[in-house]
Amino acid sequence: SGLTEEQARAKLRAAVLEPLKRPVVVRALGKRYRLTPERASVAVDIDGSVRAALERSREGNMLVRTWRGIRGKPVGAELELDIRYDKQAIARLVKRVSSKVDEPAVDASVDLEHGDVTPQESKDGRRLLARQLRRNVRTRLLDVGDDKTVKARTEVVKPKVTTAELADKYP
């Protein structure tokens, strides 16, 4: 759109690279977990993107390009940026959050073997929705917007044997 190569590079750096330098913050159960762009090895091929845009702007014969220039019409093409990142860094972050958030369900039980008939009550557990968190972290990591926060979601894990079921079995 009428920019020199260096102007286009500067514009991409300001619009893409600078916003991508902010870390993603995952909030889970009152704690925060950070993933920095350095740890995730985020990289953008600025030079390749500028080259591709220049090639696109030079498409067509001289007459077509001249007519487009006279009318002041842009090429009107959208090109994908080549942004790379380390998927394993996201997986490690999700695993770390999971290790702090996941809590197994506790089945109700009685210890008849040792003569203790006092029931141990059942307790619901909790499991991180890891696939959803991976997807959301990836989206925020590559997003140039201001909000780089992701809220980790969990689901309830029910015990296999509830206190009520145990009471029915051993009245």
Side-chain angles (χ1 to χ4, degrees):
S1 65
L3 300 176
T4 66
E5 284 186 51
E6 195 47 49
Q7 289 171 329
R9 281 188 195 92
K11 189 172 184 175
L12 279 176
R13 280 188 203 102
V16 177
L17 277 182
E18 289 307 313
L20 288 178
K21 287 184 178 178
R22 293 190 303 270
V24 173
V25 177
V26 174
R27 290 185 346 211
L29 301 178
K31 295 191 181 193
R32 296 177 182 265
Y33 305 86
R34 291 171 35 110
L35 178 61
T36 64
E38 295 80 22
R39 184 170 285 153
S41 302
V42 175
V44 181
D45 184 7
I46 298 286
D47 293 332
S49 298
V50 169
R51 266 193 311 278
L54 281 173
E55 287 172 13
R56 182 68 62 91
S57 71
R58 293 178 181 146
E59 286 180 352
N61 62 32
M62 184 184 288
L63 188 60
V64 171
R65 291 194 316 266
T66 303
W67 181 244
R68 189 172 57 226
I70 290 170
R71 293 185 327 184
K73 292 283 185 177
V75 174
E78 290 188 21
L79 301 174
E80 289 282 326
L81 280 175
D82 181 16
I83 303 176
R84 282 166 272 138
Y85 61 96
D86 180 7
K87 292 178 183 173
Q88 290 303 313
I90 294 174
R92 285 189 298 272
L93 172 70
V94 171
K95 186 175 181 179
R96 188 172 50 150
V97 174
S98 180
S99 72
K100 301 294 184 184
V101 169
D102 287 355
E103 196 172 284
V106 176
D107 292 336
S109 64
V110 290
D111 188 7
L112 297 177
E113 200 170 290
H114 294 98
D116 186 6
V117 291
T118 308
Q120 177 184 345
E121 292 193 13
S122 63
K123 183 179 174 214
D124 289 347
R126 179 179 48 233
R127 178 177 31 240
L128 178 70
L129 296 174
R131 183 178 295 148
Q132 180 184 12
L133 182 59
R134 268 192 302 279
R135 192 173 39 246
N136 292 344
V137 167
R138 177 190 176 278
T139 299
R140 286 289 184 244
L141 185 66
L142 303 179
D143 187 7
V144 295
D146 290 335
D147 186 14
K148 292 282 201 170
T149 304
V150 176
K151 186 173 185 327
R153 305 272 183 219
T154 60
E155 66 182 354
V156 174
V157 178
K158 293 290 185 185
K160 292 177 184 162
V161 180
T162 66
T163 304
E165 291 170 335
L166 188 68
D168 287 345
K169 187 173 182 178
Y170 300 105

